[in-house]
Structure formats: structure tokens, C-alpha cells
Amino acid sequence: MAGYTHSVGGTNWRFDSLREVMAKASPARSGDFLAEVAAGSDAERVAAQMCLAQIPLKRFLEEALIPYETDEVTRLIIDGHDTDAFAPVSHLTVGDFRNWLLGDDADEAALKALAPGLTPEMVAAVSKIMRVQDLILVAQKVRVVTRFRNTIGLRGRMSTRLQPNHPTDEAAGIAASIVDGLLYGNGDAVIGINPATDSTSGICELLKMLDAIIQRYDIPTQGCILTHVTTSIEAINRGAPLDLVFQSIAGTEAANTSFGINLAVLQEGYEAGLSQKRGTVGDNLMYFETGQGSALSANAHHGVDQQTCEARAYAVARKFKPLLVNTVVGFIGPEYLYNGKQIIRAGLEDHFCAKLLGVPMGCDICYTNHAEADQDDMDVLLTLLGTAGINFIMGIPGSDDVMLNYQTTSFHDALYLRQSLGLRPAPEFEEWLAKMDILRQDGGRLRMGSELPPAFRQALERMA
């Protein structure tokens, strides 16, 4: 391998591999410095970005960043590549591809058709030479629509995951959070609980509780307990009413092994979920979470930068036609994304890359309390992702998850974004909100008052 070279200001920079070009072209972030793959200076970073811009897209089909023979995610990416879909851009360099994406020819239809022809490494590469406004402009062109009990991802709409976590999985506490979230129009993406314990019997009880709420109120949404995929399979075997199959995933075989999964296990979970036949308007039933730094934290990154590893996780997600995928962008901590600036950039990169690959992307816009970030940073990312066409965000009481102990977005934040950008819930859920008197008929705004809306109060009384 001859390597790659580029001259900037009279200095010749050499990069030994495509993997090194990619890593050193990444905008600075703490995880890449921790992995010792980042550029050593701004000058080297610019040289790598200029070098990357000149590399043909088809080079990523010829030089695997992680060897084909030793990584099943690489094999999935290469073996599943659609050459016919790739044809319209196959002659372009990374820099040319950026220009094409920003042009009028790259409209919604063209980008949808192109998605099977793109690899994660291609979209990660182009994101590294794009400004924040470029990531937003291109992503908002793309719509990835999925369906289970409602329709998520339509233009002009933004859904929310109602996240009613409780530190002891207390049913009354969870139910109170669910009611609170519904009154703010949250929950059309999913009512999803991170369980405090992972016993199968406990998971089954939570599933029954969620199902009872959804069925008794006739809510056009889906429930999910965010437990390991093997626990979901066992819950299905025990007859529990399970809607969505959840799993955290990463972009390398070794990182997924650290999660206790591989592609075969995910396939088993997918088929188990399909066997339930619980969807009413579609059968997208997988829910995946990802996050930059997961491969590095498992020492499973193979010298690949964390953003490219993250994009590779979207190839795993894409295989199983998920209803929902979201990056938990600031959750792993400042060792990987140090401050608000890095978290904002990473969230926009993740959304951009996933949407180009045809993945229905949301974001847990969040940070840990030891990061150099605050809620102002999250407001910025929230607003930018709303503009970029995010499929869904999180809704948590008061922005503060009392079980996972991190800061994220609240029911009020979702209300702000919908009101300020004119976004609406999923259509079936919007109709239900109106029926429950939660949503006013005059322009789609919520009824906000000191008393429960009459129809919703009556539904509560019937359930009691």
C-alpha cells in the first residue's frame, strides 16, 4: 500500500492508510485523542481533509478499514452493497460527492434511491468535510418513514419517545410519568422504559403494564422495555405482550460481542418480534440505540475513528428494517465527547450519516454531569436537529432521568420544538390527542390548563 499524501503550505503530509486519513480528517474530539488516532495539529487535520476530498468513493469498496475476513459488520457492508443504486455517484470523489449532495439533483427521491448504494464509510467520509450547515441542509432533504401502530418520519412531523424511567421500576411512578408525557403530546415514537433490573419476570410485568395502558386508552403507539434482545426473546416465549425488540448496537463485530450479540442473535430477535404480529399499520419493530465511543470503550475499534465506527452501526441497524434508531449522543461521557461543541457536532453527524443510509434516525440529546456541557448546549442541538428533520427525540420529566442519572430533553422541550418549527406528531397519534381533548382543533396546539382535559380524564377514570 503506497499510502496517501497531500501538500499544504509547502509541507508534505503522509497517511499510511485510508483508515488513517479518515481518523485524522475527523473534527477534533476527545475519544479520538484517547484512542491515539486523531490529527496531531489543525494543519494535519486540514491536510487529511483535503486528501480525503480527493479520494474516489469507490475506494471504500476496495480498501476495508476493518478486514473483511475478521469482522462480520464489514462483510455485511460489502456483501450487501447495491452496485446499481451506487451507479449515479460511483464516479465521484468524496469532495465531488459533497458538492452533489448540496445541489438540487440530490432531492428526496434521488437520496432515497441512492441509500442502498452507500456504505457507512462513504457517508462518514463526506461528513468529515462538511460544515454544520451542510449536515443540516442535506439531512433535511431525506425522509425515512417507518410504521408499526403509527407512521413516523413524515415531513413536517416529529415524534417523541416518552421515557418514564423509575429507579425501582415502581408501577405508580412510571404511570404518573406516562400520563404527564401524554398531556404534553409525547409518546408517538414509543413509550419506552429503561428497566432498573433485568430479570425476565420483571420485564414481563412491565410489558403487561405498558400494554394495558396502550390498549385501554386505545393509544396508537407502541411500547418497549429496553432490555437485552435475548431477554426480549425469552419474554416472547413466555407470552408477554411485546411490541418492539430493543438492542444497543455498535459498528464492529468485537464491540457487538461485548454487548453479548451478533448478527445471528439480532436476526433471531427480529424473527421473534415478527411472529407476534402486533403492528397495525406496519411491521417495523426493531429499536436500536447507538453512540459515538461505544467501540472505543470496549477496546474494539481497530484503530478506526469513533465517528466512522458509529456510522458502521447504522449498517447493522439497516439490515433489520427498524422502526426507530437513535444515537445517545452525550451519554458515554466527556472521555469521548468532551464538551457541548463536540456533542453538537457529533449529533448532527450521526443524524446526517444515518439518514443518508436510509435509517430512521432520532437522537437522545443528552450529556452527563461531568461533561463540559449544559442545557443551553442541548437547546442548540435540539433546535438544529429539528431543523434537520430528526425523526424523534426523547421526552423525560424535567429533562432529568432519575434512573440513568443523566440530562436529556423534556416533555416541554418537545413542545417548544413543535411550536417553534411548526412540527406535528405522527398523524394517527395526533388524531388520538385531539380525541382526548389534549390537542385543540384550532391549529394543532396543546390545551394547557390547570385541569385534565375532559375526555382524557374520563379515560383515566374508566381505567381506574
Side-chain angles (χ1 to χ4, degrees):
M1 180 63 62
Y4 301 85
T5 60
H6 195 82
S7 178
V8 177
T11 300
N12 290 320
W13 297 92
R14 176 180 172 80
F15 309 100
D16 291 335
S17 64
L18 184 56
R19 180 173 58 221
E20 184 181 4
V21 177
M22 289 279 281
K24 293 189 172 179
S26 287
R29 61 205 58 196
S30 52
D32 289 338
F33 286 108
L34 180 64
E36 299 181 340
V37 300
S41 66
D42 290 340
E44 185 178 24
R45 182 172 299 106
V46 169
Q49 290 172 340
M50 295 177 73
C51 181
L52 182 61
Q54 297 175 1
I55 294 174
L57 288 177
K58 58 188 175 185
R59 184 68 189 152
F60 292 95
L61 301 173
E62 302 163 354
E63 184 179 344
L65 304 190
I66 300 173
Y68 179 94
E69 297 76 16
T70 59
D71 186 272
E72 69 172 0
V73 178
T74 299
R75 293 194 290 275
L76 172 67
I77 291 167
I78 297 301
D79 295 347
H81 182 250
D82 187 330
T83 54
D84 291 337
F86 180 54
V89 298
S90 62
H91 61 292
L92 300 178
T93 65
V94 173
D96 293 333
F97 185 43
R98 172 188 176 272
N99 294 338
W100 182 84
L101 287 170
L102 293 170
D104 292 339
D105 289 342
D107 58 15
E108 183 175 341
L111 292 172
K112 181 178 180 180
L114 179 63
L118 297 176
T119 69
E121 291 84 356
M122 292 175 190
V123 298
V126 75
S127 76
K128 295 176 191 297
I129 62 169
M130 299 184 94
R131 293 171 58 184
V132 161
Q133 62 178 250
D134 299 338
L135 298 173
I136 294 170
L137 178 62
V138 175
Q140 62 85 28
K141 299 181 183 184
V142 183
R143 306 313 304 178
V144 182
V145 179
T146 56
R147 296 174 175 87
F148 189 74
R149 289 203 189 97
N150 57 27
T151 306
I152 299 170
L154 295 169
R155 188 170 296 279
R157 297 182 183 268
M158 184 202 69
S159 297
T160 63
R161 169 188 161 193
L162 202 170
Q163 185 170 312
N165 294 346
H166 192 278
T168 62
D169 289 342
E170 181 187 33
I174 291 171
S177 292
I178 291 174
V179 170
D180 190 17
L182 291 172
L183 287 170
Y184 281 94
N186 281 245
D188 50 339
V190 63
I191 302 175
I193 302 171
N194 296 90
T197 59
D198 213 26
S199 71
T200 304
S201 59
I203 297 303
C204 289
E205 289 305 309
L206 288 173
L207 285 168
K208 291 174 184 176
M209 185 193 76
L210 273 185
D211 184 61
I213 292 172
I214 290 171
Q215 298 302 328
R216 289 287 295 273
Y217 291 174
D218 195 25
I219 309 172
T221 190
Q222 36 282 328
C224 183
I225 308 301
L226 281 69
T227 186
H228 196 272
V229 60
T230 56
T231 306
S232 292
I233 293 170
E234 178 58 26
I236 290 172
N237 291 337
R238 294 188 186 188
L242 186 145
D243 292 337
L244 306 186
V245 177
F246 172 81
Q247 183 57 48
S248 294
I249 57 173
T252 72
E253 180 179 345
N256 284 326
T257 298
S258 76
F259 291 158
I261 60 165
N262 55 35
L263 295 178
V265 170
L266 293 177
Q267 183 68 34
E268 183 182 355
Y270 177 54
E271 292 174 0
L274 285 174
S275 72
Q276 298 293 89
K277 296 182 170 61
R278 292 177 60 83
T280 56
V281 297
D283 61 2
N284 301 116
L285 55 81
M286 299 298 283
Y287 177 14
F288 295 118
E289 284 190 345
T290 68
Q292 288 194 29
S294 57
L296 175 57
S297 68
N299 194 28
H301 60 99
H302 301 278
V304 175
D305 67 272
Q306 67 181 37
Q307 189 250 335
T308 301
C309 283
E310 168 72 4
R312 285 169 53 95
Y314 308 150
V316 177
R318 180 168 63 174
K319 175 177 171 60
F320 300 101
K321 303 173 184 174
L323 179 75
L324 307 167
V325 179
N326 72 265
T327 170
V328 193
V329 68
F331 183 74
I332 303 181
E335 300 85 359
Y336 307 95
L337 295 168
Y338 179 72
N339 56 20
K341 180 180 177 66
Q342 292 185 12
I343 292 171
I344 290 167
R345 172 83 195 190
L348 293 170
E349 288 170 348
D350 295 349
H351 178 250
F352 166 89
C353 289
K355 284 291 188 65
L356 279 188
L357 291 169
V359 170
M361 198 62 174
C363 185
D364 191 342
I365 301 162
C366 63
Y367 65 102
T368 57
N369 287 314
H370 63 310
E372 289 293 322
D374 58 27
Q375 211 65 38
D376 285 345
D377 295 311
M378 300 307 103
D379 283 353
V380 171
L381 181 54
L382 172 69
T383 306
L384 294 177
L385 284 171
T387 305
I390 194 83
N391 275 33
F392 70 103
I393 62 168
M394 305 298 121
I396 289 98
S399 303
D400 186 357
D401 193 300
V402 295
M403 196 280 283
L404 293 173
N405 292 308
Y406 76 116
Q407 309 304 312
T408 179
T409 48
S410 71
F411 303 144
H412 303 74
D413 294 333
L415 181 60
Y416 145 73
L417 199 61
R418 283 173 172 165
Q419 288 183 345
S420 62
L421 298 180
L423 301 172
R424 297 159 64 187
E428 300 89 344
F429 192 77
E430 182 181 44
E431 183 178 343
W432 179 85
L433 290 172
K435 185 173 70 174
M436 290 292 107
D437 293 330
I438 296 170
L439 196 72
R440 294 194 313 228
Q441 300 291 351
D442 53 340
R445 296 176 71 84
L446 292 180
R447 294 182 187 274
M448 305 297 292
S450 58
E451 297 183 0
L452 287 174
F456 191 63
R457 184 181 66 248
Q458 291 167 12
L460 285 170
E461 291 170 350
R462 286 196 300 272
M463 187 168 182

